[in-house]
Amino acid sequence: MKLHFLIAASLCFTPLLTAQSGHAATAGTLSPKTTLPIVFKSGLDANHAHAGDVVHARTTQSVALSDGKVLPAGAEVTGHVVAANAFALDKTPYAVQKQSSLSIRFDTISSNSATFPLNVYVRAIADPVTSWGARESTGTDDTLATVTQIGGDVLTPSQSEVVSQDGDIVGYNRRGGVYAHLIAASGNAPNGCDGSDTEVSVGIYSASACGLYGFTGTRLQQTGKTGEPSTLVLTSNRVAPKVWKNSTALLEVLPQDQVVATR
């Protein structure tokens, strides 16, 4: 009888121990076209970063999932530095400067004890100054506190519609953030950005935002759309590429067949 009691007790406590073990459960994969507006919690510099350094970011607004659940704002995005090549100025007259580069891979997003692997591309990325500008009113005489999102769309906090520069409704300002159907664009991204007829989270980004915003002297060489998924590569022949703390980005989940094809 004592043995039966011990077995029953162990069965009762097993779920509790599992729940308290600290390991997040894996919740499958995110649906294609899901977008993740994020902000970087720490900075990275090609002159000082090393392969394996951890990258920390978080979502800036809630993200609806295909199963009806919601990833809340503040979900943790983690990644790592793949490679960093420092910039060294060659002072030889007429010298062609060697390229400096910073390569980052986004690995997972975690919230509420669930962890999703990330197979995404960087639809758009903006430095802190540009990101700050997308949250500030466009003029001191603007009593409506209108702001211009990264990419050009216009948002008035008291109105639900977000409009393009041409006056077309391209998104909606709702409780929890800004949502839109993505608009295909090329921007300065190496492979452009696709459109979508599914409403997704865009945060401070326009529906057509695509490529690099700010980051003077830096080129967006790879976004993860082709080549290695989830991998961002910044290059420069003038400065050491950096991703400053409080830089922002809009990540978009890749179709599964595209992920398989690139591996």
Side-chain angles (χ1 to χ4, degrees), residues 106-205:
F106 297 97
D107 296 318
T108 61
I109 181 169
S110 302
S111 179
N112 298 329
S113 300
T115 297
F116 298 86
L118 289 178
N119 287 300
V120 298
Y121 78 96
V122 181
R123 185 177 178 92
I125 181 169
D127 65 16
V129 174
T130 305
S131 301
W132 176 82
R135 300 183 183 96
E136 294 298 311
S137 175
T138 55
T140 55
D141 296 330
D142 181 14
T143 58
L144 296 178
T146 300
V147 297
T148 301
Q149 295 183 283
I150 298 170
D153 293 345
V154 178
L155 181 152
T156 301
S158 60
Q159 299 174 6
S160 62
E161 297 87 0
V162 178
V163 298
S164 69
Q165 294 290 326
D166 296 326
D168 298 322
I169 298 175
V170 292
Y172 291 90
N173 180 25
R174 297 190 174 130
R175 182 177 182 181
V178 180
Y179 301 84
H181 290 178
L182 299 174
I183 298 174
S186 55
N188 57 13
N191 306 107
C193 301
D194 300 327
S196 171
D197 58 2
T198 301
E199 189 172 78
V200 294
S201 302
V202 293
I204 59 175
Y205 285 85

Side-chain angles (χ1 to χ4, degrees), residues 63-99:
V63 175
L65 304 180
S66 59
D67 61 1
K69 296 180 180 179
V70 174
L71 279 173
E76 294 289 329
V77 175
T78 59
H80 67 277
V81 174
V82 177
N85 297 313
F87 177 75
L89 179 65
D90 184 349
K91 297 182 179 180
T92 305
Y94 304 105
V96 176
Q97 301 298 326
K98 292 183 179 180
Q99 180 174 273

Side-chain angles (χ1 to χ4, degrees), residues 6-17:
L6 291 174
I7 293 173
S10 67
L11 291 174
C12 289
F13 282 104
T14 297
L16 180 61
L17 293 173

Side-chain angles (χ1 to χ4, degrees), residues 177-258:
V178 180
Y179 301 84
H181 290 178
L182 299 174
I183 298 174
S186 55
N188 57 13
N191 306 107
C193 301
D194 300 327
S196 171
D197 58 2
T198 301
E199 189 172 78
V200 294
S201 302
V202 293
I204 59 175
Y205 285 85
S206 298
S208 60
C210 183
L212 198 66
Y213 295 86
F215 295 96
T216 302
T218 302
R219 175 173 171 259
L220 181 58
Q221 180 172 307
Q222 184 176 331
T223 64
K225 190 176 183 183
T226 60
E228 189 65 26
S230 300
T231 303
L232 166 72
V233 180
L234 300 174
T235 62
S236 178
N237 294 86
R238 297 171 54 190
V239 295
K242 298 179 182 180
V243 176
W244 289 270
K245 180 181 179 180
N246 295 324
S247 295
T248 61
L250 184 63
L251 311 182
E252 181 180 340
V253 177
L254 293 164
Q256 187 58 35
D257 57 350
Q258 189 170 336

